Amino acid sequence: MAFSFHLPDIGEGVVEGEIVGWKVKVGDRVKLDQPIVEIMTDKATVEIPSPRAGVVAKINYTDGQICPVGQILVVIDEDGSQGASGNAPTHGGGHGHAPVAHAAAAAPAAPAAATGRAAIEVVDVSDARARVLATPATRRLARTMGVEIGRVTPTGKHGRVTTADVKSFGTNGPSTASTGTATATATAKAFAPMTIAKGGDEERVPLRGMRKRIADGMTRSTQTAAHFTYVEEIDMSELVTVRDRAKARAAERGVKLNYLPFIVKAVVAGLKKWPMLNAALDESTQEIVRKKYYHIGIAAQGPQGLVVTTVRNADKLSIFDTSREIDRLAEAVRTNTATRDDLTGSTFTVSSLGKLGGVLATPIINFPEVAIIGVHKIEDKPAVRNGQIVIRQLMNLSISVDHRLADGWDAAMFLQDVKALLEDPTTMFMEMV
């Protein structure tokens, strides 16, 4: 008996997945719950187990292709003979089997993410639920143009969104007849794909998986958010002294203390005074959502690319607890054990390369957040204090902000408050809950 396995609903709002890699091939015998394929969505990379024991008769989507939720992913011959077709009797993707989440990116934001593990419930795809009907090529075009496909009025058969619908939306924006109100138009227009002619000895690597998610996230952020950057110089000399004094006590608690936890705490204090920077724009309702919880994203380079881990409820953690959580998240990324919660849900992001932080950068906002702060290296530099030239330990902080929601004043005042706390660490502890 041929069993047709539909790609299950593997996360809220997920309508399709990219095939990262098959672990089996046609003709292979598989066991129940044996991992058979890794699929990357906008929210996580999931490892799909086999819902049946039998022989793989047909694989409908190859590496790098996009499989919409509800489409037949693979056909398994439960009798053990080959040759079943994709038109065999179909079944839901449920039966209690849970894919394993490996991670999601950012984008920026994600920025985007690395890989990790967490259970995700598989829901029976036979349930009637409203989904956007569109081909993978149409969805890919929408992502390239920065168009939310759910806002496009469909003109195709059975309510399907066509490529022409997406192009029209990207050029003209939504009609008031379909939305009931004037809404923001897409900022990006379609360009002809760039072809790179062969010019000598080259290597061509498919743009897929994590790198593709990062590329899509960065493109959407730059094409949607109206970026501007503000920079401030921070005198870290006092904080360097405080951190040096606290290192021994931190070590007693098994904590390797660096400067990032102090920066996170200063950022949280600043966000409480300037809530517009801890917000997001709900584009479907045209509402600014000011968040009263503080989940701070930490952007860093992981084994598979740019990752944003999330320190949840950072306002409720001590310096030592914050340091411990940052270390835990970094280790989870390195060992591929980060969960979906570890890699999603941030409200404001801190981007740091540590000692490689350089002099200045303009980080790309981790969309749909409003702002991201860039942390640069601390260096001994001459500074004027009380009319004298002295050596101080200085560092630049840069903040990129979405000008649609926040003004230069908000960014400048926020960064000035962060600066004051970092330059006088005793006041930082007074701000802590």
Side-chain angles (χ1 to χ4, degrees):
M1 177 179 176
F3 174 82
S4 296
F5 182 53
H6 301 253
L7 178 63
D9 191 341
I10 50 181
E12 182 180 355
V14 172
V15 296
E16 64 186 9
E18 178 181 339
I19 309 300
V20 176
W22 283 95
K23 299 177 179 293
V24 296
K25 62 183 183 297
V26 172
D28 284 355
R29 182 170 294 278
V30 295
K31 299 177 182 178
L32 177 68
D33 289 334
Q34 174 184 335
I36 58 174
V37 64
E38 283 192 1
I39 294 180
M40 176 175 287
T41 72
D42 291 334
K43 298 183 182 294
T45 297
V46 296
E47 190 175 79
I48 303 287
S50 176
R52 292 287 192 275
V55 172
V56 178
K58 185 175 182 180
I59 291 174
N60 288 336
Y61 294 88
T62 60
D63 292 3
Q65 288 189 322
I66 304 295
C67 177
V69 166
Q71 295 300 306
I72 298 174
L73 180 64
V74 61
V75 178
I76 297 174
D77 184 356
E78 296 183 84
D79 297 328
S81 60
Q82 299 183 38
S85 92
N87 296 320
T90 61
H91 304 270
H95 310 288
H97 300 288
V100 177
H102 290 303
T115 60
R117 298 190 177 273
I120 298 177
E121 179 183 4
V122 177
V123 181
D124 191 336
V125 297
S126 64
D127 292 347
R129 40 171 74 101
R131 290 195 184 96
V132 176
L133 295 178
T135 65
T138 301
R139 295 181 187 280
R140 191 176 300 113
L141 174 64
R143 288 196 300 269
T144 301
M145 295 178 65
V147 169
E148 286 191 47
I149 199 166
R151 297 172 59 200
V152 178
T153 301
T155 63
K157 189 175 181 180
H158 304 304
R160 185 177 298 275
V161 174
T162 67
T163 298
D165 295 336
V166 172
K167 289 180 178 179
S168 176
F169 185 99
T171 302
N172 304 315
S175 66
T176 55
S178 64
T179 63
T181 182
T183 55
T185 60
T187 58
K189 295 185 178 181
F191 293 93
M194 172 63 71
T195 299
I196 306 300
K198 185 174 177 60
D201 187 16
E202 300 172 344
E203 177 185 8
R204 295 199 170 222
V205 180
L207 179 62
R208 63 172 61 145
M210 186 57 60
R211 192 72 257 166
K212 182 66 163 61
R213 286 293 179 269
I214 293 172
D216 289 345
M218 295 297 99
T219 299
R220 181 175 187 183
S221 181
T222 54
Q223 291 183 344
T224 304
H227 282 65
F228 76 89
T229 299
Y230 176 82
V231 184
E232 186 56 79
E233 185 178 67
I234 314 295
D235 188 339
M236 296 285 283
S237 303
E238 298 300 326
L239 185 55
V240 169
T241 300
V242 169
R243 181 247 186 180
D244 287 343
R245 289 204 309 263
K247 283 172 62 177
R249 181 165 293 185
E252 292 173 359
R253 291 164 170 75
V255 175
K256 186 177 180 181
L257 188 62
N258 58 29
Y259 298 105
L260 203 48
F262 295 96
I263 294 171
V264 168
K265 299 304 288 186
V267 162
V268 169
L271 292 176
K272 289 184 175 181
K273 292 183 66 175
W274 302 96
M276 189 60 79
L277 297 180
N278 197 54
L281 176 62
D282 188 325
E283 295 178 336
S284 62
T285 62
Q286 289 295 288
E287 294 176 321
I288 298 171
V289 183
R290 294 183 178 178
K291 301 176 181 179
K292 299 182 180 180
Y293 48 93
Y294 304 90
H295 301 337
I296 305 302
I298 307 295
Q301 192 69 21
Q304 297 188 19
L306 185 64
V307 182
V308 177
T309 58
T310 305
V311 178
R312 294 183 176 273
N313 300 309
D315 56 318
K316 300 177 182 178
L317 302 178
S318 69
I319 293 289
F320 286 165
D321 288 340
T322 302
S323 182
R324 190 177 289 110
E325 179 66 358
I326 291 172
D327 287 345
R328 182 193 72 79
L329 291 167
E331 179 63 19
V333 168
R334 283 193 294 268
T335 58
N336 291 343
T337 58
T339 67
R340 185 174 175 181
D341 281 348
D342 290 337
L343 298 161
T344 58
S346 57
T347 61
F348 181 100
T349 296
V350 176
S351 178
S352 174
L353 286 176
K355 294 180 180 179
L356 297 177
V359 176
L360 179 65
T362 55
I364 296 174
I365 296 167
N366 184 22
F367 190 82
E369 296 168 20
V370 173
I372 182 172
I373 199 169
V375 180
H376 306 289
K377 63 182 177 182
I378 301 172
E379 289 187 300
D380 287 344
K381 291 184 178 180
V384 177
R385 298 291 185 268
N386 300 319
Q388 302 293 318
I389 297 178
V390 295
I391 300 300
R392 304 291 289 179
Q393 292 173 300
L394 304 181
M395 176 188 78
N396 288 334
L397 282 182
S398 59
I399 183 170
S400 297
V401 181
D402 186 346
H403 218 327
R404 298 178 305 165
L405 274 66
D407 298 325
W409 172 265
D410 300 300
M413 294 305 295
F414 166 79
L415 211 54
Q416 287 298 325
D417 284 334
V418 172
K419 171 185 171 75
L421 293 173
L422 293 176
E423 292 188 340
D424 186 357
T426 57
T427 59
M428 183 189 308
F429 300 116
M430 295 176 188
E431 292 278 356
M432 292 172 58
V433 177

